[in-house]
Amino acid sequence: VCSSDLARAFWAANVRGADLVMLMEHSENGYVIVGRRDIAGCHDLDARTLALSSSGSLPSAIGRAFLQGCPTAHPRILTMPHSGDRLSALLTGAVEAAVLQRADIARLHREAPGQFHVLGAPDALSHLDLEGVFTSRRFLADHRPVVLDYVRERIFEIGRAHV
């Protein structure tokens, strides 16, 4: 099972004869900006460390869109390609704010209760189709209960991220 935002790759592979099926898609902005409790909003990011992904990525676009609301804020940007790395950097104190996948928020609150909060999630990017879950027909046939459990948990996790 593969969960990613590579829907174009999925369709291109199918056109070329790959035996893949889409199990689910989830359309929303899957990222949020998270910061330490002493950061109330984008204006407080001035001279603070903000972890973004690579320059052309969606998490970085979200971070830049968020910062547009505070043109006088000039955070130090640290580039970290993976949300899990940005999460670890928050937990260790290496950065003060980061763009994380919504799914990482539960771990952040579990490992550092009360220390961080969601600063924002730009609505301007909420219309994007961001996630698809794909698998091969053979894997689905051989492991149907596991695949169903995975999809069920993804749906529950998406719901928990909004509570």
Side-chain angles (χ1 to χ4, degrees):
V1 175
C2 172
S3 175
S4 72
D5 60 345
L6 301 175
R8 279 185 245 152
F10 163 77
W11 292 113
N14 266 337
V15 166
R16 291 185 180 99
D19 193 23
L20 301 174
V21 293
M22 178 180 279
L23 300 173
M24 68 177 279
E25 79 173 354
H26 177 66
S27 302
E28 77 167 304
N29 174 0
Y31 294 90
V32 292
I33 298 102
V34 177
R36 292 186 344 196
R37 280 276 174 207
D38 62 328
I39 299 172
C42 62
H43 56 279
D44 290 330
L45 289 173
D46 190 43
R48 305 273 187 117
T49 306
L50 171 64
L52 300 178
S53 190
S54 57
S55 62
S57 69
L58 181 61
S60 290
I62 289 168
R64 286 189 303 274
F66 182 71
L67 290 171
Q68 284 180 350
C70 297
T72 60
H74 301 287
R76 291 182 303 273
I77 304 296
L78 185 59
T79 301
M80 304 178 111
H82 303 288
S83 182
D85 295 336
R86 295 187 298 274
L87 171 62
S88 294
L90 274 172
L91 290 170
T92 61
V95 301
E96 297 162 282
V99 177
L100 298 180
Q101 290 181 338
R102 288 184 189 272
D104 288 331
I105 301 302
R107 179 176 164 213
L108 182 66
H109 290 313
R110 187 175 57 251
E111 293 188 24
Q115 295 181 37
F116 299 94
H117 67 119
V118 174
L119 298 173
D123 292 332
L125 302 173
S126 64
H127 66 284
L128 296 174
D129 234 356
L130 296 174
E131 182 178 44
V133 180
F134 319 96
T135 190
S136 70
R137 292 179 198 282
R138 181 175 169 199
F139 187 90
L140 178 58
D142 292 347
H143 304 282
R144 188 171 188 82
V146 172
V147 171
L148 292 176
D149 285 345
Y150 175 82
V151 171
R152 187 177 304 110
E153 282 303 311
R154 285 295 300 131
I155 292 169
F156 289 149
E157 188 60 36
I158 290 164
R160 283 191 288 267
H162 292 284
V163 174

